[in-house]
């Protein structure tokens, strides 16, 4: 269904670029400062209050998206962000909770008007994943292009880069650096540090406590980090559940560990996301952060908040 309303052409970097937003949403752009918007603060648990992992960093009219969990395009619309594509997207690792929204991001932005290839960065294996996704929806793209919708041929294309650690984006005052992090058996998992408009933001992706991340997070304005409560480590009552404590320690970061990391890195604001609550309250998680030694500002992220 095509129901789009053109919102005009805007000069950007010498190029005319249209950006479409969901009608009636919040005003866009917000400011020239780099604004962090957790679009999805959830985990694999399909919590209707917390969409799948996705974080936007908005710099003026440019939108940088980190991970594409389930529900990402509806959260983009709710946040007032363009629905016809982002400036660049970055995937932390290929776990399904971080990538289930990729076909949504790729195909919905095309149906909403994207005609240029979307810049997508991520670990080795991402190209294979997106090749399969586009193959899976081949019937859809054929019908949309050749049928009465007259979809733009090739508008679903990607400008895809499989990355290693280091600077992966540097354009018009925005730098994104990938930091390799340890995440269980995953060979390639990245945190990303963003420098833009005088702010520095580090987004952890999924990681166990990481010295490399701690170094990269030193003095950042905002540290967005995953976490679970150390006090709730216990075997689970299911086949393989005896491995759960080991899984947590090797794959994710506890509140006490994160408190120690933040106590050393000293971010101006610590934003907790991808929280595996495991029955703990928000207060218990914050108490764990304090036990680890962080005394600065800490919040548990909410979908669509702004930091
Ligand atoms: Zn995850
Ligand atoms: Zn993961």
């Amino acid at each position: 269904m095509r129901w789009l309303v053109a919102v005009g052409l805007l000069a950007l970097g010498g190029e005319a670029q249209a950006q479409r937003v969901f009608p009636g949403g919040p005003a866009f752009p917000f400011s020239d400062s780099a604004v962090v918007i957790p679009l999805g603060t959830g985990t694999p648990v399909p919590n209707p209050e917390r969409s799948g992992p996705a974080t936007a960093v908005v710099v003026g009219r440019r939108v940088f998206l980190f991970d594409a969990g389930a529900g990402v395009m509806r959260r983009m619309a709710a946040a007032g962000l363009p629905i016809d594509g982002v400036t660049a997207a970055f995937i932390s690792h290929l776990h399904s909770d971080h990538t289930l929204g990729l076909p949504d991001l790729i195909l919905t932005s095309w149906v909403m008007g994207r005609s240029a290839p979307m810049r997508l960065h991520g670990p080795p294996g991402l190209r294979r994943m997106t090749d399969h996704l586009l193959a899976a929806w081949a019937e859809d793209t054929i019908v949309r292009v050749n049928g009465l919708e007259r979809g733009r041929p090739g508008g679903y294309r990607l400008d895809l880069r499989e990355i290693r650690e280091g600077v992966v984006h540097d354009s018009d005052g925005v730098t994104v650096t990938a930091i390799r992090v340890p995440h269980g058996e995953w060979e390639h998992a990245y945190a990303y540090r963003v420098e833009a408009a005088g702010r520095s933001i580090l987004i952890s992706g999924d990681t166990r406590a990481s010295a490399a991340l701690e170094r990269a997070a030193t003095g950042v304005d905002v540290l967005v980090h995953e976490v679970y409560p150390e006090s709730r480590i216990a075997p689970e009552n299911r086949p393989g559940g005896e491995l759960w404590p080991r899984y947590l320690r090797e794959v994710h970061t506890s509140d006490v560990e994160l408190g120690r990391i933040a106590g050393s890195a000293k971010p101006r604001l610590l934003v907790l996301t991808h929280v595996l609550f495991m029955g703990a309250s928000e207060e218990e998680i914050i108490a764990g952060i304090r036990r680890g030694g962080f005394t600065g500002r800490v919040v548990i992220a909410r979908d669509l908040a702004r930091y």
Side-chain angles (χ1 to χ4, degrees):
M1 185 171 68
R2 292 177 69 90
W3 46 270
L4 296 176
V5 182
V7 295
L9 293 172
L10 299 151
L12 178 69
E15 292 174 32
Q17 179 177 321
Q19 288 179 300
R20 294 195 171 93
V21 296
F22 187 73
F28 175 81
F30 316 125
S31 73
D32 285 324
S33 156
V35 182
V36 181
I37 306 179
L39 297 172
T41 61
T43 64
V45 178
N47 179 345
E49 310 263 300
R50 295 183 179 276
S51 211
T55 305
V57 175
V58 183
V59 185
R61 295 194 166 277
R62 287 180 288 172
V63 178
F64 301 89
L65 178 68
F66 297 86
D67 282 334
V72 63
M73 286 303 296
R74 276 155 180 76
R75 284 295 200 252
M76 295 268 291
L81 300 179
I83 52 177
D84 60 351
V86 295
T87 308
F90 303 82
I91 301 299
S92 65
H93 66 302
L94 298 182
H95 249 149
S96 58
D97 51 322
H98 298 252
T99 50
L100 280 168
L102 262 180
D104 190 15
L105 177 68
I106 295 165
L107 296 169
T108 304
S109 63
W110 169 51
V111 174
M112 293 295 105
R114 179 167 69 86
S115 58
M118 184 170 63
R119 183 77 66 86
L120 180 64
H121 309 74
L126 182 60
R127 185 178 306 280
R128 193 159 72 106
M129 177 180 273
T130 53
D131 284 349
H132 283 304
L133 290 175
L134 291 174
W137 269 276
E139 294 298 325
D140 169 86
T141 51
I142 290 166
V143 167
R144 286 190 196 275
V145 169
N146 297 328
L148 295 175
E149 287 167 276
R150 286 290 180 266
R152 299 175 197 212
Y156 47 80
R157 286 170 300 159
L158 297 171
D159 175 3
L160 189 146
R161 290 146 198 230
E162 290 190 341
I163 58 161
R164 306 289 169 150
E165 60 190 333
V167 174
V168 294
H169 177 97
D170 187 0
S171 178
D172 284 336
V174 177
T175 306
V176 180
T177 305
I179 299 111
R180 197 163 175 183
V181 292
H183 184 42
E185 290 94 354
W186 287 96
E187 192 181 344
H188 303 284
Y190 300 115
Y192 290 102
R193 176 171 167 143
V194 185
E195 309 275 343
R199 292 191 96 196
S200 52
I201 296 141
L202 194 137
I203 298 162
S204 73
D206 281 3
T207 179
R208 73 165 174 261
S210 159
L213 184 149
E214 182 178 321
R215 279 194 298 278
T218 299
V220 293
D221 291 290
V222 184
L223 171 57
V224 181
H225 205 295
E226 66 123 276
V227 72
Y228 73 87
E230 194 157 295
S231 60
R232 300 286 170 144
I233 295 178
E236 292 198 323
N237 185 22
R238 60 176 171 84
E242 73 280 3
L243 295 173
W244 185 245
R246 191 176 143 202
Y247 164 83
L248 289 170
R249 290 195 189 94
E250 293 185 11
V251 180
H252 294 294
T253 303
S254 80
D255 45 9
V256 177
E257 290 170 327
L258 180 55
R260 185 187 52 69
I261 288 167
S264 160
K266 296 189 170 46
R268 283 171 179 244
L269 173 64
L270 173 60
V271 176
L272 309 181
T273 190
H274 196 290
V275 183
L276 292 165
F277 283 96
M278 300 189 294
S281 66
E282 296 191 355
E283 291 70 27
E284 283 178 74
I285 307 258
I286 301 287
I289 299 282
R290 297 302 183 210
R291 271 206 310 287
F294 182 60
T295 55
R297 279 182 67 210
V298 53
V299 295
I300 292 184
R302 306 250 177 267
D303 287 21
L304 304 177
R306 297 181 189 185
Y307 302 106

